[in-house]
């Protein structure tokens, strides 16, 4: 990828180290796809690019709850070569002693057990191709893995990996030579239960990324509870059949160890069946808070008290329940400025019949559910949503929505068929702050699968956002965005990467604002967390559309300082603070 790098002292751009542009601005008006064309831009290229992975849910016909939950996906540049690699957590049997012959649903002949790491060969080959480097990487998950979080916890310049899952998790330190080391016990990450989503974030501003791990429920396999659906058939239990868990907060002790501060921080004061998690400044006080989507219970908003403690304020801030005051089956979460008013909205996916939430800030500083007003409620009601993202897929300057769907209880229309939990995924084009419901079921998102995790990033380095979707008990999907094509006037774009001297070196939780000559402003948060069990590219991606330039770019760093300059469009820039 062509990459322009700026070395910056706070608020002053000093030296332009390198600059080049792949697609110079042209006077001709770019071709902008319509809302009805957006879903047709994508093509599933997983198989042809070598990204071959089939998820195993551990099922043997006994219907243990963790089977239906996983799994996620991560996009990260683990080798710092300039392209996005892929990590996929893998499930396993829920009981010891089981073998491949016990599988309820047989795997493909070339199936490999265990989580997998795929290296992207885009750089230097110039062609999108993946190589499975798991065996040489040292990554081994000897448990049923579900989620993944990405962050440079020791500030050495290389991204580390945390895999969550059943009764344990694993923290893999990136050694910088293509290899990882399992440091879980050495750094003090322990006592996790059924861990789901996780996030690296610097809650106390000491320059080191701390770690929050969301836990779900207790006793999911040991109790071996048997639940049945309305047809009296054996089916998966819901979370209310079990005791909810307490999520965990670990303080980073200088990149050497983590200290469990769950109790002293206040996080341990409330249990809940947590699934999705986001770190963002929800009350606009300059400090990073936590939002946890709970399944079948009130969701939590942990407000940072700036002294190492958190206070749960979901109810008072209006983000715990639906608009009619009911607890929902919260799964995936995303944050972004959907209507370009300069304030981020919170998007949460739920169970079928419940519809998604879009919590929007009100004049008093709290939130109201604007999903119906933004035309997302009706479109999402038929589906059980998991992974979710807000990205400008067509580079028109508005954040589109994507929801990965898949049932958790038998679909009546599929009763008697193999794995009857399939649903189609949902692309929601954004037109002036209102989502447009899909008018057709053609294209790659019309395929019915049991989708779970979703991660977003520019995988082929061409200036548009691609996505990877993990499927429970099914193959991974790599949806390549074909918006940017040679030989035509493409919608303009700009990508911004950040580097800082501490806190993971990537500028997590920074806000980037772009203003174009027309006066329109866009804001993007730089953070890989969100969705469901997944981690996306930590980048600020802006669609510039038909405008020919950017008037101003401003980075608001987590410490309160700002940097401003005027970049060229149709390129990626890296800003070093």
């Amino acid at each position: 990828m062509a990459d322009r790098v700026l070395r910056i002292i706070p608020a002053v751009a000093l030296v332009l180290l390198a600059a080049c542009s792949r697609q110079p601005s042209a006077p001709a008006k770019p071709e902008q796809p319509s809302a009805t064309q957006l879903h047709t831009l994508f093509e599933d290229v997983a198989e042809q690019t070598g990204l071959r992975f089939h998820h195993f849910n551990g099922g043997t016909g006994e219907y243990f709850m963790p089977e239906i939950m996983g799994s996620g996906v991560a996009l990260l540049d683990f080798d710092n070569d300039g392209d996005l690699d892929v990590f996929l957590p893998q499930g396993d049997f829920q009981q010891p002693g089981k073998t491949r012959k016990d599988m309820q649903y047989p795997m493909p002949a070339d199936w490999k057990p265990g989580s997998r790491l795929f290296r992207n060969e885009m750089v230097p080959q110039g062609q999108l191709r993946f190589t499975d480097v798991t065996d040489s990487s040292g990554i081994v998950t000897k448990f049923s893995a579900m989620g993944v979080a990405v962050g440079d916890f020791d500030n050495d310049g290389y991204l580390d990996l945390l895999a969550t899952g059943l009764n344990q998790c694993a923290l893999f330190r990136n050694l910088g030579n293509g290899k990882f080391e399992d440091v879980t016990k050495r750094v003090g990450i322990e006592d996790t239960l059924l861990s789901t989503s996780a996030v690296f974030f610097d809650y106390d501003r000491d320059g080191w990324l701390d770690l929050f791990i969301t836990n779900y429920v207790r006793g999911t396999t040991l109790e071996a509870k048997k639940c049945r659906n309305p047809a009296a058939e054996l089916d998966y239990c819901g979370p209310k059949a079990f005791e909810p868990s307490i999520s965990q907060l670990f303080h980073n002790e200088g990149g050497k160890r983590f200290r469990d501060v769950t109790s002293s921080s206040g996080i341990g004061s409330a249990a809940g069946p947590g699934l999705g998690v986001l770190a963002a400044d929800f009350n606009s006080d300059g400090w990073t808070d936590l939002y946890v989507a709970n399944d079948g219970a009130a969701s939590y908003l942990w407000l940072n008290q700036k002294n190492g403690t958190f206070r749960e304020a979901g109810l008072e801030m209006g983000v715990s329940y639906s608009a009619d005051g009911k607890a929902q089956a919260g799964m995936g979460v995303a944050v972004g400025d959907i209507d370009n008013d300069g304030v981020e909205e919170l998007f949460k996916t739920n169970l079928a019949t419940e519809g998604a939430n879009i919590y929007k800030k009100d004049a008093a500083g709290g939130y109201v559910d604007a999903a119906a007003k933004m035309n997302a409620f009706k479109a999402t009601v038929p589906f059980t949503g998991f992974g979710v993202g807000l990205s400008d897929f067509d580079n028109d300057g508005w954040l589109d929505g994507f929801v990965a769907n898949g049932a958790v209880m038998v679909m009546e229309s599929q009763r008697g068929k193999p794995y009857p939990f399939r649903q189609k995924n949902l692309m929601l084009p954004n037109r002036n702050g209102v989502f447009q419901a899909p008018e057709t079921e053609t294209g790659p998102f019309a395929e019915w699968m049991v989708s779970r995790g979703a991660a977003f990033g520019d995988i082929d380095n061409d200036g548009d956002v691609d996505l990877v979707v993990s499927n429970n008990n099914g193959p991974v999907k790599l949806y390549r965005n074909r918006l940017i094509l040679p030989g035509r006037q493409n919608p303009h774009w700009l990508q911004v990467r950040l580097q800082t001297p501490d806190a993971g070196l990537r500028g997590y939780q920074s806000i980037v604002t772009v203003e174009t000559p027309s006066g329109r402003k866009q804001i993007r948060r730089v953070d890989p967390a969100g969705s469901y069990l997944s981690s996306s590219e930590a980048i600020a991606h802006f669609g510039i559309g038909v405008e020919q330039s950017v008037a101003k770019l401003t980075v608001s760093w987590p410490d309160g300082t700002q940097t401003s300059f005027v970049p060229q469009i149709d390129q990626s820039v890296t800003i070093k603070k």
Side-chain angles (χ1 to χ4, degrees):
M1 170 180 274
D3 199 12
R4 191 173 102 163
V5 182
L6 299 179
R7 187 175 304 279
I8 289 175
I9 294 176
V12 182
L14 294 180
V15 182
L16 179 63
L17 297 182
C20 60
S21 176
R22 287 172 299 194
Q23 300 183 40
S25 299
K29 185 178 180 179
E31 300 175 33
Q32 192 73 54
S34 69
T36 57
Q37 293 173 325
L38 181 54
H39 69 283
T40 64
L41 295 177
F42 293 87
E43 176 188 5
D44 175 23
V45 297
E47 179 68 24
Q48 70 190 64
T49 59
L51 190 62
R52 300 184 182 95
F53 176 89
H54 196 103
H55 177 256
F56 171 52
N57 68 2
T60 59
E62 299 181 71
Y63 288 84
F64 292 125
M65 180 199 276
E67 297 170 9
I68 199 67
M69 294 173 61
S71 67
V73 55
L75 293 177
L76 74 158
D77 184 5
F78 81 87
D79 51 2
N80 288 351
D81 67 347
D83 54 30
L84 289 174
D85 311 298
V86 181
F87 176 77
L88 289 152
Q90 180 62 284
D92 202 352
F93 292 107
Q94 311 298 307
Q95 291 179 307
K98 300 292 185 179
T99 64
R100 191 162 179 168
K101 64 180 178 58
D102 297 307
M103 291 180 174
Q104 184 179 15
Y105 301 98
M107 294 295 104
D110 59 351
W111 178 78
K112 297 178 181 179
S115 302
R116 314 304 296 179
L117 178 66
F118 292 87
R119 185 181 63 219
N120 189 345
E121 310 292 355
M122 191 77 193
V123 177
Q125 292 185 7
Q127 180 180 6
L128 185 61
R129 189 76 187 170
F130 290 93
T131 300
D132 187 339
V133 295
T134 309
D135 294 343
S136 61
S137 72
I139 292 178
V140 178
T141 52
K142 297 181 180 179
F143 59 96
S144 186
M146 287 193 183
V148 55
V150 175
D152 182 4
F153 80 89
D154 54 1
N155 288 355
D156 67 350
Y158 290 92
L159 291 170
D160 309 301
L161 278 170
L162 176 84
T164 66
L166 180 58
N167 297 328
Q168 67 181 102
C169 62
L171 178 60
F172 297 99
R173 177 175 176 262
N174 192 335
L175 302 179
N177 57 359
K179 297 184 180 299
F180 289 78
E181 176 189 11
D182 188 338
V183 296
T184 314
K185 292 184 178 180
R186 190 175 80 201
V187 301
I189 304 296
E190 54 188 356
D191 298 328
T192 58
L193 299 169
L194 177 51
S195 51
T196 53
S197 297
V199 57
F200 287 97
F201 73 121
D202 183 13
Y203 74 85
D204 57 355
R205 292 185 176 181
D206 67 349
W208 299 93
L209 288 177
D210 309 300
L211 175 63
F212 181 88
I213 298 177
T214 307
N215 289 318
Y216 190 52
V217 296
R218 299 173 179 269
T220 52
T221 56
L222 296 179
E223 297 178 17
K225 292 187 176 182
K226 303 296 182 182
C227 297
R228 297 186 179 275
N229 58 32
E233 299 170 331
L234 198 63
D235 206 342
Y236 291 107
C237 296
K240 293 183 179 179
F242 307 96
E243 178 186 355
S245 287
I246 292 174
S247 295
Q248 294 164 283
L249 179 63
F250 294 90
H251 182 263
N252 190 332
E253 305 283 304
K256 302 298 183 182
R257 285 188 58 82
F258 285 91
R259 177 167 52 93
D260 191 335
V261 294
T262 304
S263 178
S264 62
S265 67
I267 295 294
S269 64
L275 288 179
V277 63
L278 273 174
D281 182 9
F282 292 100
N283 61 352
S284 303
D285 67 351
W287 290 71
T288 304
D289 312 302
L290 289 165
Y291 181 75
V292 179
N294 285 320
D295 185 6
S299 293
Y300 293 150
L301 177 56
W302 294 102
L303 294 181
N304 193 331
Q305 301 301 290
K306 311 175 189 178
N307 59 1
T309 67
F310 290 79
R311 178 176 67 88
E312 203 289 298
L315 180 60
E316 90 181 51
M317 294 288 287
V319 293
S320 286
Y321 299 101
S322 65
D324 55 359
K326 295 181 180 179
Q328 298 170 294
M331 265 80 85
V333 283
V335 65
D337 184 8
I338 297 171
D339 53 4
N340 280 349
D341 66 350
V343 182
E344 293 176 307
E345 283 75 47
L346 173 61
F347 195 126
K348 177 168 72 73
T349 60
N350 299 298
L351 198 67
T353 73
E354 294 180 341
N357 308 113
I358 298 180
Y359 295 112
K360 180 174 176 58
K361 273 278 184 75
D362 60 18
Y367 289 83
V368 294
D369 192 345
K373 183 178 179 180
M374 290 184 166
N375 203 30
F377 179 79
K378 183 178 179 181
T380 55
V381 161
F383 307 105
T384 293
F386 282 88
V388 57
L390 295 168
S391 292
D392 187 357
F393 294 112
D394 52 4
N395 285 352
D396 68 345
W398 297 87
L399 289 175
D400 308 298
F402 176 84
V403 182
N405 298 310
V408 292
M409 295 175 287
V410 172
M411 299 278 291
E412 289 299 323
S413 61
Q414 300 172 34
R415 187 175 297 281
K417 298 181 180 179
Y419 217 55
F421 306 98
R422 304 174 190 274
Q423 296 181 340
K424 68 172 185 175
N425 293 326
L426 195 60
M427 176 64 74
L428 295 171
N430 184 345
R431 291 300 177 262
N432 299 317
V434 178
F435 290 116
Q436 305 296 309
E439 299 178 3
T440 176
E441 292 192 3
T442 61
F445 304 132
E447 184 178 2
W448 288 59
M449 299 169 292
V450 189
S451 296
R452 293 294 183 256
F456 309 85
D458 187 0
I459 297 172
D460 52 3
N461 289 352
D462 66 349
D464 53 35
V465 179
D466 313 292
L467 62 140
V468 177
V469 175
S470 60
N471 292 292
N472 184 279
N473 200 40
V476 65
K477 297 290 183 176
L478 167 53
Y479 296 111
R480 190 175 190 179
N481 190 340
R482 297 294 191 176
L483 174 70
I484 304 294
L485 294 174
R488 54 167 277 177
Q489 296 301 320
N490 297 297
H492 298 301
W493 55 275
L494 176 69
Q495 292 177 349
V496 182
R497 291 176 173 82
L498 304 179
Q499 291 184 9
T500 57
D502 55 14
L505 308 178
R506 308 286 168 145
Y508 286 7
Q509 295 305 312
S510 298
I511 297 291
V512 183
T513 304
V514 160
E515 183 175 356
T516 50
S518 67
R520 182 172 63 177
K521 290 185 178 181
Q522 301 178 52
I523 65 170
R524 301 287 184 265
R525 180 178 299 275
V526 176
D527 192 84
S531 190
Y532 173 76
L533 305 178
S534 298
S535 182
S536 297
E537 183 180 19
I539 192 173
H541 176 93
F542 296 90
I544 309 301
V546 299
E547 297 198 62
Q548 300 295 316
S549 64
V550 166
K552 185 180 180 181
L553 183 151
T554 302
V555 180
S556 298
W557 305 95
D559 63 5
T561 61
Q562 290 189 337
T563 295
S564 297
F565 73 104
V566 180
Q568 294 182 354
I569 59 175
D570 295 335
Q571 65 177 331
S572 172
V573 297
T574 296
I575 303 173
K576 293 185 177 181
K577 183 175 184 297

